[in-house]
Structure formats: structure tokens, C-alpha cells
Amino acid sequence: MNLLQIYIAVFLAAFLTSLAFIPLAKKLAWKFNILDKPLGEGHKLHSNATPVLGGAAMLVSWTLVIAIGLFIVITRQELFGENFSAIIDGVDKRLSQVIVICGCAIGYGILGFWDDCKPMSAKFKLFLQIILALISSIWGVRITLFLGNPSLSIIATFCWLMFILNAFNFFDNMDGLATGVAAIAACMFMIVAGLNGQFLVASLAAATTGVTIGFYLYNCNPASIFMGDSGSHFLGYLLGIMSTLVTYYSPETGSNPIYPFLIPVLILAVVIFDLFAVVVIRLRIKQPIYIGDHNHISHRFVKMGYSRRCAVFLVHLLCLILGLCAIAVMFAKTLVASIICVQMIALFLFLTLLHSRQAKEDSQ
């Protein structure tokens, strides 16, 4: 058994487990009335009550696969052979870190589930988000790029996790949109981690890719189940964690050590761009940034005449293009990495001008 086969096995286990749990989650949501009811809210595009236990199903599936995987690695080491001894030792050494990460992932999922069942105040939810992000930053994982001071590393990690978590939470606004983006991003993190020989990170990313693709089959337009806040918190946290865990510079690739920070930015660029664009728009029209609207990138594609399904596909295509650019940066010299960076800026400038023109036409 080689590493690629292990990643495929983790992906398939997560995918099939997710497929098995989603129908059960739908039944439980209807039974216990855990539904998203539009109630005439203008920013919601669905007209019928829809189950919102998709995030809980993904969380259970992901946790189960990771737990079984860790159990096998720790207790059945003879299955892997001598070639995997170094990898198994690495898992043993980082077991406490994995437990913290999994614990916080479960915590964010429960936080979102609580909000799905009984909406909590924005301040209280933010407080709980901060607590879990601090736990992750202190005992889980830290950003070390250009930061020699441990305190600065904790602060940077905390800010990044909170930023990506809430950016992804904002991004969940159309059937299949956030799910597909999470699947593409997790797949890219899996490839980067796998190429750099990071077995544990690649396995976590493979499990995330599997559960999201399994859920996507039920969540794509027209969605029969939503991920809810439990899903957006759980997946947003995992994307933030994976982007922090992956080592982006490896001497073997021959890349320039100055540019690897672009890799997570490229993989998550669409989510980051959408957050900034929506916040700017809401501030310009003097609307609170936490109130939903139809100013997301997916909504603007719809206003341009595309169907919702096509708009989601266009956003996924953007994520895939930028994710592949991120893979290229791993092997890029200074000039090529600079060109990719300029290309990303030009792409989002093009989108900004295109959507600004559409906004002007809508206001006339």
C-alpha cells in the first residue's frame, strides 16, 4: 500500500459515509423540525422549508472516518509495513494536536447546530467562535511564516482562523455553492500536502473532500438539504486549519521561499474576494454587514442573466482555476510566481468592473 492508495481510501470512506448519513439527517430534520423556513426573508432564495442537518451529517461522517483512521494507524501498524514507520511515528507525535483540531471542529459544528436549532445573538456566537479559535491557536496549530515570536504567531493564527471561518459562513448563499468550493479547496490542500509529504494533513484534507462531495450530491440545485450554520462553521474552520497546517515551501520543489504564502490565498481567493466585496457594498449602502443580501458574486452572476446552477458552476470554475494556479506556485521561480500573482489580481479586477457595470444597470 502506498500513500496515494491511502488518500484514495480515506476519500472513499468519507464519501460513502457521508452518502449514508445524509438521508438519515434529512429524516431527523423533518422529525424534529430542524428546518430552514424562508418566512418571507428577502435574502433567501428557496420557497419551501428545507432540512438543515447537512452540516451535522458531514461532521459525524468526518469525525468517524478520522477516528477509525487514527485507531488503525496506532493499533494496527503491521498493516503498513516498515516503509511507513516514520509516518506512524509522526502521527504519534502530533496526536495531541490532532485531538485539539478535531475537538474544535466538533465544537464549531455544535455551535452552528445550536444556532440552527435556536438562533443565538450575534455577540454570543462571536464570543464562542473566539474561544474555539483561541484554543486552536494556542494548542492546535500556528502560522509560523515570517513570525519568530510565539505571541505574534498565535495572534496571526487566531485572526486567520476567524477571518476564513466567517468568510466561508458569509459565502453559503446558494444551493451547492459553498459545498463545491469547500470540496475544491480541500482537494487542493490535499494535493499540496501530499506533494510535500505531509501524510496527516493530506489525510485530513482527503476526508474533508470526501464528506463534502458526498453532501454535494444532495445539496446541488435544487437542494434537498442545507448544511446550515453547523456545516459552514465546521467546513470554514477546517479550511482555515488546513491552510495553516500545510507546509508550502519545500526545497525539493525548487520554489522561491518568498512566494509560498500565495498558495492558501489562491486556493481561498474567491471566498476572500467575496467577503471583501460584500462588506464594501454593504458599507456603501449603509447596511449592517451581518444582514444577508443578494450582493454576493453568485447573485451578481444571476443578475447578469445566468441561471443559479450556471452561476454556481462559474464560481466553482473560478475556484478550480485559482486552485490550479496555487499548485503551480509550488514549483514556480520568482518570475512565474509574480506573473501568477498579477494574473489573480487582474482576474478579480475584471470581475469587479464587470459586476460594477451590472450594478449600475440595475440601479437605472
Side-chain angles (χ1 to χ4, degrees):
M1 179 178 288
N2 57 39
L3 288 175
L4 179 59
Q5 290 173 327
I6 292 176
Y7 301 147
I8 293 174
V10 172
F11 166 80
L12 289 176
F15 172 72
L16 294 174
T17 306
S18 180
L19 280 181
F21 274 104
I22 298 299
L24 176 61
K26 289 169 65 175
K27 291 181 180 178
L28 290 174
W30 282 109
K31 182 177 180 178
F32 294 102
N33 197 34
I34 308 175
L35 308 170
D36 186 345
K37 301 174 183 177
L39 300 176
E41 297 172 75
H43 69 283
K44 294 188 176 182
L45 298 174
H46 61 292
S47 55
N48 300 317
T50 306
V52 289
L53 274 182
M58 284 191 286
L59 172 61
V60 171
S61 302
W62 184 88
T63 305
L64 185 62
V65 169
I66 296 299
I68 293 174
L70 287 174
F71 177 79
I72 292 173
V73 169
I74 294 171
T75 63
R76 301 296 302 276
Q77 299 181 4
E78 68 277 4
L79 295 175
F80 298 92
E82 296 181 0
N83 294 334
F84 287 86
S85 59
I87 291 174
I88 293 172
D89 289 341
V91 173
D92 289 337
K93 292 177 181 178
R94 301 184 68 178
L95 185 59
S96 60
Q97 183 187 44
V98 174
I99 291 173
V100 171
I101 291 170
C102 291
C104 288
I106 293 171
Y108 274 114
I110 293 173
L111 167 61
F113 175 74
W114 182 3
D115 195 44
D116 288 331
C117 296
K118 188 177 181 180
M120 63 183 73
S121 68
K123 290 182 180 179
F124 185 55
K125 181 160 66 172
L126 180 62
F127 170 75
L128 295 178
Q129 287 179 352
I130 289 172
I131 295 298
L132 290 170
L134 282 174
I135 293 172
S136 290
S137 304
I138 296 172
W139 292 289
V141 62
R142 297 181 192 174
I143 294 172
T144 57
L145 187 64
F146 308 134
L147 299 172
N149 187 302
S151 297
L152 290 177
S153 180
I154 290 173
I155 293 171
T157 306
F158 167 78
C159 292
W160 176 253
L161 290 178
M162 288 294 294
F163 175 70
I164 295 300
L165 171 72
N166 285 287
F168 190 78
N169 197 24
F170 269 48
F171 198 73
D172 183 23
N173 58 74
M174 199 170 284
D175 292 356
L177 179 68
T179 312
V181 168
I184 293 169
C187 183
M188 294 302 163
F189 285 127
M190 177 182 67
I191 293 172
V192 174
L195 290 174
N196 279 329
Q198 291 182 273
F199 168 77
L200 196 55
V201 185
S203 298
L204 291 174
T208 306
T209 306
V211 297
T212 48
I213 292 180
F215 176 67
Y216 179 81
L217 298 182
Y218 294 91
N219 185 236
C220 62
N221 187 287
S224 61
I225 186 171
F226 294 156
M227 69 168 68
D229 269 11
S230 58
S232 60
H233 277 69
F234 165 64
L235 291 179
Y237 171 74
L238 284 183
L239 292 178
I241 282 293
M242 287 186 291
S243 64
T244 306
L245 277 173
V246 177
T247 300
Y248 298 104
Y249 171 65
S250 174
E252 287 77 13
T253 63
S255 62
N256 190 314
I258 297 174
Y259 287 96
F261 76 91
L262 284 174
I263 295 174
V265 174
L266 282 164
I267 292 175
L268 299 172
V270 174
V271 175
I272 295 170
F273 170 79
D274 186 69
L275 175 65
F276 280 118
V278 168
V279 168
V280 169
I281 291 170
R282 291 177 185 176
L283 289 176
R284 285 182 60 187
I285 62 178
K286 298 180 179 180
Q287 175 181 311
I289 62 174
Y290 54 84
I291 294 180
D293 58 22
H294 290 167
N295 288 314
H296 293 274
I297 184 173
S298 52
H299 295 134
R300 295 195 169 275
F301 278 132
V302 171
K303 291 177 182 177
M304 292 171 64
Y306 294 100
S307 66
R308 294 178 191 173
R309 186 186 292 267
C310 188
V312 169
F313 176 75
L314 287 173
V315 176
H316 289 168
L317 197 58
L318 280 172
C319 292
L320 181 61
I321 291 169
L322 292 166
L324 293 174
C325 287
I327 304 297
V329 169
M330 288 184 63
F331 307 93
K333 300 296 183 180
T334 301
L335 179 60
V336 175
S338 300
I339 291 173
I340 291 174
C341 184
V342 172
Q343 175 181 282
M344 178 183 68
I345 295 171
L347 177 61
F348 284 116
L349 181 60
F350 170 78
L351 286 174
T352 301
L353 294 173
L354 190 67
H355 289 165
S356 296
R357 179 179 177 83
Q358 182 63 37
K360 289 180 180 180
E361 292 179 356
D362 291 341
S363 63
Q364 291 176 355

